[in-house]
Amino acid sequence: MARAVLEPRADREIFVVPLEVRPEHIDDNGHVNNVVYVGWLQDAGTAHWNARFDDATRARWSWVATRHEVDYFRPLPPGARGVAARTWVGDPQGPRFNRYVRIEDGEGRVCAQGVSEWVLVDSATMRPHRIPATMLEAFRR
């Protein structure tokens, strides 16, 4: 069964992270390895967080990924140029929310997409904490 391409809600900011396909990303099948995509999901989420919040906020709070799910549509070959991750967040559910990521090639075609579940934790105690409404505002359009 084919998966539908993820589409962001109209009220969510889409954050774009340029990606580089490096020689060490290529597996024995001649395309970007699956493990690299999982790293890109995490990198996109971290970059979005770091871009929207100041040092003090990032020192108080941290995010822990508890789940990643990836769908692959087309391979990224060696030397692919213009690759980018587009990411946005879902609705908070207590201390959790889903983060959505599309990996697109230089022509804007979706090569892979993923959903990661993230949990907000207090950096000092590492205990989960309900996502403050003010925090979600930073991810809105």
Side-chain angles (χ1 to χ4, degrees), residues 3-29:
R3 301 268 186 209
V5 172
L6 295 172
E7 294 293 338
R9 289 181 16 185
D11 65 340
R12 294 294 190 251
E13 174 192 39
I14 301 168
F15 188 77
V16 180
V17 179
L19 302 172
E20 180 183 359
V21 176
R22 296 189 214 132
E24 63 268 23
H25 293 162
I26 306 304
D27 63 18
D28 291 341
N29 294 318

Side-chain angles (χ1 to χ4, degrees), residues 19 32-46 65 67-72 101 103 112-116 118:
L19 302 172
V32 173
N33 187 276
N34 298 3
V35 174
V36 174
Y37 284 96
V38 173
W40 284 344
L41 296 183
Q42 186 160 319
D43 292 347
T46 301
R67 183 174 181 278
H68 297 292
E69 178 181 316
V70 183
D71 297 313
Y72 302 96
V101 180
I103 307 294
Q113 64 184 15
V115 179
S116 297
W118 291 84

